[in-house]
Amino acid sequence: MKPTSELELAELIADAKTPLQIKGGGTRLMGLPDGNVLDTSGLCGITLYEPGALTLVAQAGTPIAEIETALAAENQRLAFEPADLRDVLGTSGTSTLGGVAASNASGPRRISAGACRDFMLGVRFVDGLGDVVKNGGRVMKNVTGYDLVKLMSGAHGTLGVLSEVSIKVLPSVEMQLCLRIKGLDPLRAVAAMSAALGSPFEVSGAAYDVNGAVSLRLEGFEASVRYRAAQLVGVLAEFGPIEALDDQDLCTQIWCDIRDARRFKNTQGDLWRISVKPSDAPDLLSVLNPSQAQLDWGGGLIWLTMPSGTDVRAKMTVAGHATLMRASADTFSTRARFHPEPAPITKLSADLRARFDPIALLNPGLMGACHEDRI
Amino acid sequence: MDMPSPDPIVLSRKAELVSRLLQVLPSDAVIEDEMETRAYECDALTAYKCPPLLAVLPRSTEEVSAILRICHEMNVPVVPRGSGTSLAGGALPTADCVILGVARMNDVLDTDYANRVIRVQTGRTNLSVSGAVEEDGFFYAPDPSSQLACAIAGNIAMNSGGAHCLKYGVTTNNLMGVTMVMMDGEVVEIGGAHLDSGGLDLLGVICGSEGQLGVVTEATLRILHKPEGARPVLVGFDSNEVAGACVSDIIKAGVLPVAIEFMDRRVIEVVENYAQAGYPLCEALLIIEVEGSEPEIDAQLKLIREIAERHNPVEFREARDSDEASRIWLGRKSAFGAMGQINDYMCLDGTIPVSSLPMVLRRINELSEEFGLDVGNVFHAGDGNMHPLILFDANKEGDLELCEAMGAEILKLCVEAGGCLTGEHGVGIEKRDLMHVQYAPADLNAQMAVKDVFDPKWLLNPAKVFPLDASDTRRALQVAAE
């Protein structure tokens, strides 16, 4: 099924009797293996782009690449830098705006600029009954009614199938620069990242590879970037020698690799993505002792691989959540992709799904358990 | 303003309600005297008043939970209240409601610089959150004009913005977790010091839900290190259109000021009269503020000057020191007060795409002539959040109604231009009946479905946000289910 208009999408869902596996570009492997595939890539095209207002509206199936090309022509960009997970997940296809929005896909700049959800200004979607719903709009400040835009970001299609998304975009930068500190253990690495992020020097990326180095990114006008880099070197003096990289292509490569978790390409075991308070990351790493790990978001986002079948969640002694990103079919059949939530939250979420998708058509079972009145 | 009739059963059980509340609260936390409850009869939207049945002032999450459990059992509506600074009537009571004020819950619970978060009770005022971390060089970014008085609880309920949100975002972008008490008394923890939700983004929908989904008692907020410095410039133009074009060009050029504020001639004149800030008397004036170190500020302002000069400004004034900086801000910050000096006014809050600014300003002037009411415009231009101030005389019969009718026309205009009814003040009761203009029935149903899930009896902050004719079947259903 591949609707080419919102109306067609609505009719399809209104007529559906059995579960639908919702698929944008299929790069994030978030759909379930069962159900008829509902492919949204036919809903394609940028419908509005106003560079002077920093806003862009596009149909949900529009490739991210197409959006990035349009933005680059005006010297603008997606500030939340959504990851391209094809390499690490072994998928092909083309990442779409709808897929990025539905999974709230946010890269290293999440710590400074914000997450995908923070840049989503409005949505149109079709709920599980086939009703077309709009929420938010295309302006940057909007508190008119409840914010269903946030609710749809990260709902992975379980509350509705996105047909159109409006986003805020930001200007591209004149220059980036990467500071690297080698030889730190996780505790010192997180301390260094915290010191950088707690400074006034607007660090837009703070990551750590357990086998490598702490990387800190600065962006902006050249004079400003160089000034802040010099200041930061002073702030971080106690953490050892600091290397400053200003080759633009190299910096781009470093941060794309971190964003896309490329170091986990072709690695063995289950791949997890864990969100914790940054200062909790070192302890968690020592408890889990993963074969490979990368910290992003100043320590708040941990990517790691564990031997197949390991229950990472059972070993988590700190607040946060772990998403299983890549695993064998066997593991996926026994382990939920998303972290189970406390009972009251589970109930609220299940009740919301039951309201928006009463006959459990939309990626049923992907997030939380299915509700019982499924036909 | 249509409000549902008070529930006679609730009114008749006041004594029983008081006695049950006094079993779980100290006596100074329950206000039942009619003279004293009058203090809660309205918020900053003073055109509407209604004393509540009771007011309660809990000191802890446990007390809030106990209060809500009792009200839930007895089907008593509850109106949560922060500091009562809502401009939209978000805390307007109904005659059969309990006002639940969180003002006594104002502690800082945890300050965590390593993780750049602060945990506070939500009765704490916005400015005092920054105050708690200021000495260590940090601040809490959202800065609504009422920040001296307004509470974090209300900021979360309304998803408040402020002058500096062009760079730092609004409340929802700086809120990381909450402790919330559901209407049935259950306490839930959502989010925390980690980023992003592992499941549905409930925090995202709670923020901005105008106190209708639960009572937020504690919040984890993102704090940032203060910039090294900040400096405003003032730029005057001889037309609104040109000022609007200049805003657009600045944004396109890749400079991201922390604030771009706009004032039109009407406001400039009034403000000059009131505060003598030394503003040039021109058609439109922008205040643009940038941040960073001295050299960074210089570089950004140089670029802004280049862009502005392409638009032939009548004045470009850069603050040379902090005294001049505060003089530039003085007029803007006293604008609402100055307008209030000359007349009663109604402050609107629609947002429009920045590109529609000249058209919308022109139409507002036409409406001003049509209705015979004066309008001043002062607003956050960087993000298109307008604040037209319609001047009227509250003592003149029919003037308030005329003003409201004109306000409605302006808000419809904002929606037609691709914008929305409210950018940062909230819907409350003020814009409730205009929701149909922006949203189709299916859009409102989807929002009300969320309300059904969180507050099945529709007891929390009743008669706000949703037009009564859109919500009456749902509210009736809940009553029937009893």
Side-chain angles (χ1 to χ4, degrees):
Chain A
M1 287 182 278
K2 191 174 170 181
T4 54
S5 70
E6 184 182 78
L7 184 66
E8 237 179 89
L9 172 68
E11 286 172 354
L12 255 166
I13 294 177
D15 293 342
K17 300 280 188 291
T18 53
L20 299 169
Q21 180 193 338
I22 304 150
K23 177 169 167 279
T27 64
R28 287 169 214 282
L29 279 181
M30 277 300 180
L32 291 182
D34 58 342
N36 293 318
V37 172
L38 172 59
D39 181 342
T40 60
S41 64
L43 301 165
C44 185
I46 296 170
T47 43
L48 179 144
Y49 175 30
E50 283 187 7
L54 301 176
T55 44
L56 180 143
V57 185
Q59 292 194 68
T62 310
I64 286 291
E66 185 180 327
I67 291 171
E68 286 180 331
T69 304
L71 294 177
E74 294 288 342
N75 207 25
Q76 295 187 337
R77 65 180 181 180
L78 296 175
F80 58 93
E81 50 181 344
D84 175 350
L85 298 179
R86 286 177 296 187
D87 271 1
V88 68
L89 298 181
T91 51
S92 55
T94 309
S95 178
T96 63
L97 177 62
V100 162
S103 58
N104 186 27
S106 317
R109 215 175 281 112
R110 197 264 169 271
I111 42 162
S112 57
C116 176
R117 53 120 53 196
D118 298 302
F119 286 86
M120 287 169 63
L121 303 175
V123 291
R124 293 179 65 90
F125 64 93
V126 179
D127 71 12
L129 292 171
D131 285 332
V132 176
V133 176
K134 70 167 183 299
N135 192 262
R138 65 177 178 96
V139 288
M140 275 186 232
K141 273 168 83 182
N142 186 348
V143 295
T144 319
Y146 293 175
D147 192 349
L148 303 186
V149 180
K150 300 280 186 304
L151 199 55
M152 296 303 290
S153 77
H156 296 276
T158 60
L159 299 178
V161 180
L162 293 169
S163 50
E164 187 183 88
V165 183
S166 329
I167 48 173
K168 174 183 172 182
V169 300
L170 281 183
S172 297
V173 293
E174 188 175 280
M175 173 188 195
Q176 56 178 325
L177 186 146
C178 184
L179 295 179
R180 299 203 109 168
I181 315 173
K182 291 191 173 140
L184 301 182
D185 65 17
L187 195 63
R188 292 286 290 161
V190 171
M193 292 191 285
S194 286
L197 290 166
S199 79
F201 305 116
E202 299 193 9
V203 171
S204 75
Y208 168 65
D209 187 317
V210 289
N211 303 317
V214 164
S215 301
L216 301 166
R217 179 172 60 185
L218 293 165
E219 298 176 289
F221 292 107
E222 180 170 358
S224 164
V225 167
R226 294 206 183 277
Y227 166 81
R228 285 181 280 139
Q231 295 296 312
L232 262 183
V233 167
V235 169
L236 300 171
E238 59 165 306
F239 294 97
I242 300 172
E243 180 187 13
L245 307 172
D246 63 0
D247 181 296
Q248 297 302 288
D249 292 339
L250 177 62
C251 288
T252 300
Q253 191 60 51
I254 288 170
W255 288 99
C256 283
D257 286 350
I258 292 167
R259 180 194 72 186
D260 302 342
R262 284 205 189 121
R263 70 180 328 292
F264 301 98
K265 184 184 178 183
N266 300 326
T267 51
Q268 299 297 307
D270 300 340
L271 178 63
W272 291 86
R273 188 175 184 272
I274 306 172
S275 180
V276 293
K277 182 165 79 175
S279 61
D280 285 339
D283 275 352
L284 187 57
L285 284 180
S286 65
V287 169
L288 293 173
N289 193 23
S291 34
Q292 306 220 36
Q294 167 185 299
L295 305 188
D296 194 356
W297 300 354
L301 175 66
I302 309 172
W303 288 89
L304 52 79
T305 46
M306 295 294 285
S308 191
T310 311
D311 187 355
V312 161
R313 291 164 189 146
K315 296 173 187 242
M316 275 177 73
T317 49
V318 297
H321 53 85
T323 307
L324 183 55
M325 298 298 292
R326 187 189 70 198
S328 66
D330 266 4
T331 305
F332 271 134
S333 69
T334 56
R335 185 136 5 264
R337 192 177 273 279
F338 296 98
H339 204 118
E341 297 183 286
I345 305 299
T346 300
K347 180 171 187 312
L348 286 172
S349 301
D351 287 354
L352 284 170
R353 280 193 294 273
R355 293 277 174 167
F356 282 82
D357 179 24
I359 56 172
L361 290 175
L362 311 177
N363 280 347
L366 176 61
M367 297 185 87
C370 292
H371 35 279
E372 300 194 338
D373 51 351
R374 175 171 168 181
I375 51 168
Chain B
M1 180 62 57
D2 278 346
M3 293 297 271
S5 339
D7 183 343
I9 300 172
V10 170
L11 296 179
S12 71
R13 293 174 74 187
K14 179 175 175 181
E16 182 190 347
L17 177 63
V18 170
S19 120
R20 288 193 62 183
L21 288 169
L22 285 172
Q23 287 166 18
V24 297
L25 296 171
S27 58
D28 73 339
V30 180
I31 297 168
E32 56 164 321
D33 179 83
E34 275 178 34
M35 287 311 289
E36 289 182 59
T37 53
R38 190 147 291 176
Y40 301 93
E41 69 183 1
C42 69
D43 52 27
L45 182 69
T46 52
Y48 301 101
K49 294 183 167 78
C50 173
L53 186 64
L54 294 175
V56 289
L57 301 172
R59 288 187 171 83
S60 68
T61 300
E62 293 68 33
E63 288 185 354
V64 172
S65 169
I67 292 162
L68 290 181
R69 188 165 286 123
I70 291 166
C71 291
H72 185 253
E73 276 172 31
M74 296 182 65
N75 295 319
V76 180
V78 173
V79 174
R81 180 179 167 109
S83 299
T85 57
S86 172
L87 292 164
L92 179 74
T94 54
D96 56 0
C97 88
V98 167
I99 283 275
L100 193 161
V102 294
R104 286 180 176 170
M105 301 172 58
N106 56 10
D107 287 343
V108 172
L109 303 170
D110 183 36
T111 308
D112 180 350
Y113 294 120
N115 294 301
R116 301 163 300 282
V117 292
I118 185 169
R119 178 94 177 158
V120 297
Q121 288 185 308
T122 56
R124 196 168 181 87
T125 61
N126 174 292
L127 196 61
S128 71
V129 173
S130 284
V133 293
E134 198 173 16
E135 282 189 7
D136 297 296
F138 282 75
F139 74 113
Y140 172 61
D143 60 340
S145 303
S146 56
Q147 68 180 153
L148 185 64
C150 66
I152 292 297
N155 290 181
I156 293 170
M158 294 314 209
N159 188 15
S160 303
H164 290 75
C165 60
L166 186 57
K167 178 172 178 187
Y168 296 112
V170 296
T171 303
T172 191
N173 312 115
N174 293 278
L175 174 69
M176 299 176 66
V178 294
T179 298
M180 184 172 85
V181 187
M182 307 284 294
M183 186 61 217
D184 64 4
E186 179 158 29
V187 179
V188 295
E189 293 293 334
I190 298 173
H194 57 278
L195 292 164
D196 295 345
S197 170
L200 294 180
D201 190 352
L202 302 184
L203 190 62
V205 76
I206 287 164
C207 189
S209 62
E210 309 207 4
Q212 293 196 312
L213 302 185
V215 177
V216 175
T217 54
E218 294 178 13
T220 302
L221 307 169
R222 181 172 79 130
I223 50 173
L224 298 168
H225 198 289
K226 281 192 280 193
E228 290 185 279
R231 201 188 308 158
V233 290
L234 178 156
V235 199
F237 296 94
D238 56 14
S239 88
N240 289 336
E241 278 87 349
V242 177
C246 182
V247 170
S248 187
D249 283 357
I250 288 169
I251 289 171
K252 264 198 285 193
V255 197
L256 197 61
V258 276
I260 305 180
E261 299 287 300
F262 183 110
M263 294 163 83
D264 71 1
R265 176 181 269 281
R266 186 77 184 95
V267 177
I268 298 168
E269 284 171 355
V270 174
V271 158
E272 236 346 82
N273 235 339
Y274 174 81
Q276 289 94 40
Y279 286 177
L281 291 178
C282 52
E283 291 304 314
L285 187 153
L286 298 177
I287 295 172
I288 306 166
E289 182 160 279
V290 296
E291 286 181 347
S293 62
E294 284 299 311
E296 288 177 287
I297 289 173
D298 287 340
Q300 292 177 78
L301 290 184
K302 180 167 171 276
L303 189 56
I304 288 171
R305 182 188 279 271
E306 282 167 20
I307 295 164
E309 277 172 357
R310 292 206 289 271
H311 295 279
N312 302 314
V314 295
E315 171 127 9
F316 188 98
R317 186 185 304 168
E318 197 174 321
R320 279 166 302 187
D321 52 40
S322 64
D323 189 48
E324 288 190 7
S326 48
R327 285 190 70 75
I328 286 180
W329 274 112
L330 172 70
R332 170 63 185 90
K333 289 189 171 166
S334 54
F336 285 23
M339 295 298 277
Q341 284 269 310
I342 60 161
N343 238 332
D344 299 303
Y345 69 80
M346 181 181 186
C347 173
L348 303 177
D349 176 46
T351 306
I352 54 164
V354 178
S355 52
S356 311
L357 210 56
M359 183 277 283
V360 171
L361 288 172
R362 198 167 53 241
R363 281 287 298 137
I364 289 176
N365 280 335
E366 288 167 14
L367 286 167
S368 168
E369 277 173 30
E370 259 171 60
F371 281 80
L373 293 176
D374 228 351
V375 182
N377 282 290
V378 47
F379 58 91
H380 315 304
D383 44 35
N385 189 188
M386 316 261 303
H387 289 311
L389 305 173
I390 309 175
L391 303 175
F392 70 104
D393 183 351
N395 295 320
K396 187 170 153 194
E397 198 175 332
D399 232 26
L400 172 65
E401 289 71 22
L402 191 65
C403 170
E404 287 185 326
M406 181 174 161
E409 288 308 310
I410 292 177
L411 293 181
K412 285 178 195 167
L413 171 65
C414 291
V415 175
E416 276 165 31
C420 64
L421 298 172
T422 170
E424 59 184 0
H425 296 173
V427 178
I429 51 158
E430 190 199 20
K431 274 121 0 195
R432 183 190 72 190
D433 296 333
L434 288 170
M435 286 288 274
H436 289 306
V437 175
Q438 187 168 335
Y439 289 120
D443 306 332
L444 289 175
N445 279 333
Q447 295 177 38
M448 290 189 291
V450 175
K451 171 74 171 167
D452 286 339
V453 166
F454 281 80
D455 176 22
K457 290 190 184 181
W458 281 66
L459 290 172
L460 268 171
N461 213 5
K464 314 284 165 61
V465 184
F466 303 110
L468 295 183
D469 61 352
S471 65
D472 57 4
T473 10
R474 285 166 195 271
R475 286 180 288 123
L477 274 179
Q478 311 311 332
V479 174
E482 279 302 303

